[in-house]
Amino acid sequence: MQTAERGWWVLWLVVAALCLPSIETGARSGEEATVRAAPGGWTLDGDADEGRIVYKQYCQKCHGKHGNGQGTMAADLDPKPRDFTNAEDMGKRSDWELYLGIKEGGAPLGLSDQMTAWEDTLTEEEMRNVAAYIRQFAQSDDEGEAR
């Protein structure tokens, strides 16, 4: 295999590895982990506009442009990535749980252990920003864009 081909192959594997963690299993098993309480005084306070940039770079391939779990890589995933546009489901998740899912991955929330922890990739601010952006999908406009 030529060097350029190998480079693209490695890049594809890295992207796939980053997206595979976005799938959930907690809904299947019906068992969700007990989530520790947010630290006193903790608020999400992220910038959704900045979070949109992070989402497009790291989350969109699996969770989709519109946050509906139908990203370009989602067809090959089982179970499917979480649908952030589902207001009922998202209403059951606190801002803290949403943030923890990004920071620590799915396992601490009883979701898929394939949903990777992003705390070694994203800054604290970026994780809060993307959580704020994701939160908006359940309140999206008619075009499916987060407000």
Side-chain angles (χ1 to χ4, degrees):
M1 188 181 298
Q2 295 180 348
T3 304
E5 285 179 297
R6 190 174 318 129
W8 284 108
W9 180 245
V10 170
L11 178 61
W12 184 88
L13 287 174
V14 169
V15 169
L18 292 174
C19 288
L20 280 176
S22 300
I23 58 181
E24 63 180 316
T25 58
R28 278 189 172 181
S29 67
E31 299 176 15
E32 300 228 354
T34 302
V35 178
R36 68 184 179 277
W42 187 92
T43 58
L44 182 57
D45 69 7
D47 181 330
D49 291 332
E50 291 295 320
R52 181 180 193 165
I53 297 165
V54 175
Y55 180 88
K56 284 182 175 185
Q57 183 174 359
Y58 294 102
C59 313
Q60 184 170 305
K61 291 174 192 79
C62 294
H63 291 284
K65 178 180 180 181
H66 303 293
N68 57 7
Q70 297 178 17
T72 56
M73 299 187 78
D76 296 325
L77 301 176
D78 183 31
K80 299 299 180 200
R82 181 171 295 279
D83 177 357
F84 299 133
T85 66
N86 183 325
E88 182 178 347
D89 183 49
M90 292 301 287
K92 296 175 186 174
R93 301 262 176 223
S94 69
D95 288 343
W96 175 247
E97 290 172 298
L98 188 58
Y99 166 80
L100 276 184
I102 295 165
K103 181 177 181 176
E104 298 180 359
L109 298 176
L111 303 175
S112 175
D113 60 0
Q114 294 180 32
M115 170 59 192
T116 193
W118 291 98
E119 63 188 329
D120 292 334
T121 304
L122 303 175
T123 66
E124 175 76 15
E125 182 179 18
E126 288 172 325
M127 289 184 287
R128 286 176 183 246
N129 291 346
V130 76
Y133 180 69
I134 288 170
R135 177 60 76 197
Q136 293 183 343
F137 279 118
Q139 306 157 353
S140 64
D141 61 23
D142 293 334
E143 287 87 43
E145 290 288 329
R147 292 184 203 187

